[in-house]
């Protein structure tokens, strides 16, 4: 019997537990330990701060969903990893023995690096944890009664900069909806050398588009800024030139502020020699396993990542939900491979994808740091991105909440529904469904002679083009087929789908050099 312990019940830990439980044998055990008894979809925390979400929308007790899958859950955080003896010590004094350990603990905010940045001191707010986002929402309700200067910023070394931009745009949109935007100023303070750097360093069309978006909304951005201290009503800053030389110090007054700190590993991990780097982040090899303890793996933002680009003010390497899920998949596959004594899967290259909300419109970022390093960074604005993030939020939460056996095989066939709608449209004299059934890509599929006649006859009967009805029925049949796949097969299918999409991006074609949306 194999026992896998997973430390963390967040965006990395829970999917890792699901993936491993699905792939391990019936007698194997998976145990999740966490200092929190709930799951929180952290990317939606900025919406909590704006009052656009309630806590219950994006956070819920996780034990019932783990238990339904036969996964053990211990709502107690790590005290120390005793990797030499394959044990973890928990804060309540209990122990868990493991054959494999997955560290998905997340990180700790390094508030102590900037005096006054800790939200507990009451000067600025944060959206790192949902409790902090709730506090920010309460403070914001008071702020709008008497608007003033707003500062949204990130400390030197911050590695997750997307929420900073997202929060600035959300506040702008909310103030406009309230009709008080002209009574408030919004300043974005970033350690990046330019907006949209994101710790990647590829200066592309992203920069121009985001700069324009900020300017259109009258959001001022100041770059190359090191936040040195925060006091009541004032942000103390030092600006650097492109060569890293200190230029000037200044003080920025504010009435409401939200700040993102730099991050470090949780204290429990640093107690184990050979497990972490100087900042307490878990060191891993290309297989996402610790070099000192090969039965210890890591996924998520607790993983030590190299910086992709040198900057005058330090900027941490980026991470995203998308790239974290790739890490989770790699870890699960490699643990199974290690058990079976099969070759491991490399985690390189790593890809990252963001969906950042810009109120009713949005920005999509695609970044691809590779080894050897080649950076791709795109941004496209539009309402579809806002809708995509809402859909992704619901998709991810529903995936976490899905219990075994909650299949839809008995639901009405999608093929049958498609045919019924076609008949209805013909009777009504409309062609709504056939107009949306355009073929995006040609797919040559040989069919039997009788099937060919049947398809053509059906098309003629329903007054639909042959290629259109073929595309509609194939699409419906694929959706029907997915209902009968197990969770492992669905996970494999989704990964294969992502790989195919990424492989066919224009910039990934042989001989094509990609430059910010053009070739």
């Amino acid at each position: 019997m194999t026992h896998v312990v997973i430390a963390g019940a967040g965006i990395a830990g829970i999917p890792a537990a699901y993936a491993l439980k699905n792939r391990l044998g019936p007698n194997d055990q998976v145990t999740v330990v966490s200092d929190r008894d709930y799951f929180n979809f952290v990317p939606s925390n900025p919406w909590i701060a704006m009052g656009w979400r309630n806590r219950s929308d994006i956070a819920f007790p996780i034990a019932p969903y783990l238990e339904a899958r036969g996964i053990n859950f211990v709502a107690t955080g790590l005290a120390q990893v005793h990797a030499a003896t394959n044990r973890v010590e928990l804060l309540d004094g209990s122990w868990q023995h493991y054959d494999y350990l997955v560290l998905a603990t997340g990180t700790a905010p390094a508030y102590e690096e900037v005096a006054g940045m800790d939200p507990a001191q009451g000067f600025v707010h944060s959206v790192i944890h949902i409790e902090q986002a709730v506090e920010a929402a309460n403070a914001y309700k008071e702020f709008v009664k008497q608007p003033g200067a707003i500062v949204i910023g990130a400390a030197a070394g911050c590695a997750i900069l997307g929420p900073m931009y997202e929060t600035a745009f959300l506040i702008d949109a909310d103030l406009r909806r309230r009709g008080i935007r002209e009574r408030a100023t919004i300043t974005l303070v970033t350690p990046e050398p330019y907006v949209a750097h994101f710790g990647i360093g590829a200066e592309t069309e992203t920069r121009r588009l985001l700069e324009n978006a900020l300017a259109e909304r009258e959001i001022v951005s100041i770059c190359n800024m090191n936040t040195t201290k925060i006091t009541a009503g004032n942000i103390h800053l030092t600006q650097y030139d492109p060569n890293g030389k200190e230029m000037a110090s200044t003080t920025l007054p504010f009435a409401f502020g939200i700040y993102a700190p730099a991050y470090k590993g949780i204290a429990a991990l640093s107690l184990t020699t050979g497990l972490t780097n100087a900042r307490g982040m878990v060191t891993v090899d290309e297989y996402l396993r610790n070099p000192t303890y090969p039965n210890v793996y890591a996924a998520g933002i607790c993983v030590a990542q190299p910086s992709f680009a040198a900057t005058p003010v330090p900027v941490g390497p980026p991470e995203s939900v998308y790239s974290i899920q790739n890490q989770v998949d790699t870890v699960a596959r490699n643990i199974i491979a290690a058990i079976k004594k099969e070759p491991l899967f490399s985690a390189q290259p790593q890809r990252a994808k963001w969906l950042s909300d810009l109120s009713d419109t949005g920005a999509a970022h695609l970044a691809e740091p590779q080894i050897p390093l080649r950076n791709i960074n795109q941004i496209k604005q539009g309402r579809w991105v806002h809708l995509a993030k809402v859909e992704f939020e619901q998709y991810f939460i529903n995936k976490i909440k899905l219990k075994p056996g909650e299949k839809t095989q008995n639901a009405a066939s999608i093929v049958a529904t498609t045919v019924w709608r076609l008949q209805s449209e013909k009777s009504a004299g409309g062609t709504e469904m056939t107009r949306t059934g355009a073929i995006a890509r040609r797919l040559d599929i040989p069919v039997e002679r009788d099937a060919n006649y049947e398809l053509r006859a059906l098309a003629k009967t329903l007054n639909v083009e042959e290629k259109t009805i073929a595309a509609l029925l194939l699409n419906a049949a694929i959706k029907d087929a997915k209902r009968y796949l197990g969770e492992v097969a669905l996970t494999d299918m989704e990964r294969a789908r992502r790989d195919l999409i990424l492989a066919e991006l224009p910039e990934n074609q042989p001989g094509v050099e990609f430059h910010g949306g053009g070739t």
Side-chain angles (χ1 to χ4, degrees):
M1 182 188 77
T2 299
H3 185 204
V4 180
V5 172
I6 299 170
I11 285 174
I14 298 302
Y18 286 8
L20 284 162
K21 186 62 178 178
N22 289 337
R23 295 178 183 276
L24 288 167
N27 296 321
D28 298 324
Q29 290 188 0
V30 176
T31 299
V32 173
V33 301
S34 173
D35 61 346
R36 299 174 185 270
D37 61 0
Y38 60 87
F39 173 84
N40 171 208
F41 187 69
V42 175
S44 292
N45 283 358
W47 290 350
I48 291 284
M50 290 294 96
W52 294 7
R53 286 287 188 279
N54 295 318
R55 180 187 176 113
S56 59
D57 294 329
I58 63 169
F60 47 87
I62 194 60
Y65 303 101
L66 293 173
E67 291 168 359
R69 292 171 175 267
I71 298 170
N72 306 317
F73 180 57
V74 181
T76 304
L78 282 181
Q80 186 174 353
V81 176
H82 297 264
T85 56
N86 296 333
R87 299 184 300 166
V88 291
E89 181 183 355
L90 305 182
L91 291 173
D92 63 0
S94 64
W95 296 76
Q96 289 284 336
H97 294 261
Y98 62 82
D99 296 295
Y100 293 91
L101 173 64
V102 179
L103 295 173
T105 59
T107 57
Y111 291 131
E112 72 281 0
E113 294 181 0
V114 179
M117 186 173 287
D118 190 339
Q121 295 178 260
F123 301 144
V124 292
H125 301 279
S126 174
V127 293
I128 297 175
H129 301 303
I130 195 167
E131 295 86 357
Q132 295 173 335
V134 170
E135 291 176 0
N138 293 332
Y140 182 72
K141 289 177 183 177
E142 294 301 315
F143 165 80
V144 295
K145 296 176 182 178
Q146 189 173 355
I150 300 170
V151 174
I152 310 298
C158 182
I160 303 178
L161 294 162
M164 173 184 66
Y165 290 98
E166 181 177 354
T167 301
F169 284 111
L170 290 175
I171 290 178
D172 169 79
D174 187 78
L175 293 174
R176 292 181 189 279
R177 291 176 184 179
R178 295 174 184 269
I180 57 174
R181 178 62 178 89
E182 72 282 356
R183 296 169 57 190
T185 61
I186 303 176
T187 303
L188 191 148
V189 178
T190 176
E192 302 163 281
Y194 51 84
V195 297
H197 182 279
F198 293 115
I200 300 171
E203 188 169 353
T204 65
E205 189 72 358
T206 303
R207 177 177 178 178
R208 183 187 68 81
L209 289 171
L210 192 51
E211 285 177 340
N212 288 344
L214 291 168
E216 288 171 2
R217 292 160 177 81
E218 299 180 285
I219 299 173
V220 176
S221 60
I222 48 177
C223 302
N224 277 330
M225 302 300 291
N226 179 27
T227 303
T228 57
K229 183 173 62 173
I230 298 175
T231 56
N234 288 288
I235 309 290
H236 301 264
L237 304 166
T238 300
Q239 188 167 33
Y240 290 77
D241 68 14
N243 297 317
K245 182 179 179 181
E246 184 176 324
M247 293 174 58
S249 296
T250 185
T251 300
L252 186 64
F254 75 101
F256 179 80
I258 294 180
Y259 244 85
Y263 299 96
K264 61 183 179 180
I266 67 169
L269 301 182
S270 298
L271 299 174
T272 306
T273 303
L275 190 61
T276 65
N277 65 9
R279 287 194 70 83
M281 312 295 272
V282 183
T283 54
V284 296
D285 60 17
E286 65 175 298
Y287 307 111
L288 296 180
R289 62 181 180 180
N290 180 257
T292 307
Y293 309 103
N295 64 336
V296 176
Y297 291 77
I301 60 175
C302 68
V303 174
Q305 300 277 16
S307 294
F308 296 128
T311 53
V313 180
V315 177
E319 196 59 272
S320 71
V321 177
Y322 179 84
S323 60
I324 288 171
Q325 300 317 298
N326 279 345
Q327 292 175 11
V328 165
D329 184 75
T330 299
V331 167
R333 288 171 177 269
N334 282 339
I335 288 177
I336 300 302
I339 292 171
K340 296 180 177 179
K341 302 188 184 307
E342 295 176 349
L344 302 185
F345 300 84
S346 173
Q348 297 173 349
Q350 290 290 335
R351 300 172 188 267
K353 187 174 183 179
W354 290 265
L355 285 176
S356 295
D357 194 40
L358 306 185
S359 66
D360 57 340
T361 60
H365 314 272
L366 173 64
E368 183 183 32
Q370 293 186 337
I371 305 298
L373 189 61
R374 177 168 178 252
N375 294 317
I376 295 172
N377 196 9
Q378 302 177 27
I379 181 173
K380 292 185 179 180
Q381 290 180 267
R383 182 169 175 78
W384 71 269
V385 182
H386 171 76
L387 296 175
K389 182 168 182 182
V390 173
E391 291 178 359
F392 180 69
E393 172 196 70
Q394 293 306 308
Y395 160 78
F396 201 96
I397 290 175
N398 289 338
K399 183 178 178 180
I400 298 298
K401 287 186 173 181
L402 182 67
K403 296 180 180 179
E406 291 185 348
K407 297 283 186 178
T408 56
Q409 285 98 328
N410 295 325
S413 164
I414 298 174
V415 172
T417 302
T418 300
V419 174
W420 178 81
R421 288 184 62 186
L422 286 170
Q423 290 185 85
S424 299
E425 286 183 8
K426 182 185 178 184
S427 299
T431 56
E432 179 64 27
M433 191 170 186
T434 56
R435 281 201 305 269
T436 59
I439 298 174
R441 175 176 176 174
R442 184 178 180 85
L443 184 65
D444 294 318
I445 304 176
V447 296
E448 295 179 357
R449 183 186 297 268
D450 286 346
N452 179 273
Y453 287 136
E454 294 279 2
L455 177 66
R456 291 162 61 189
L458 181 61
K460 187 174 182 178
T461 301
L462 296 175
N463 194 28
V464 180
E465 289 187 7
E466 295 170 11
K467 63 181 181 181
T468 299
I469 195 169
L472 288 169
L473 291 175
L474 178 59
N475 182 58
I478 291 171
K479 291 180 179 179
D480 272 341
K482 287 174 65 177
R483 291 173 166 179
Y484 294 89
L485 294 177
E487 288 192 55
V488 173
L490 282 172
T491 300
D492 290 344
M493 182 177 176
E494 179 59 27
R495 180 179 178 84
R497 179 178 178 275
R498 293 199 306 263
D499 290 344
L500 288 169
I501 291 172
L502 289 167
E504 292 183 3
L505 289 174
E507 62 269 22
N508 288 334
Q509 303 310 305
V512 174
E513 284 298 323
F514 181 75
H515 301 287
T519 57

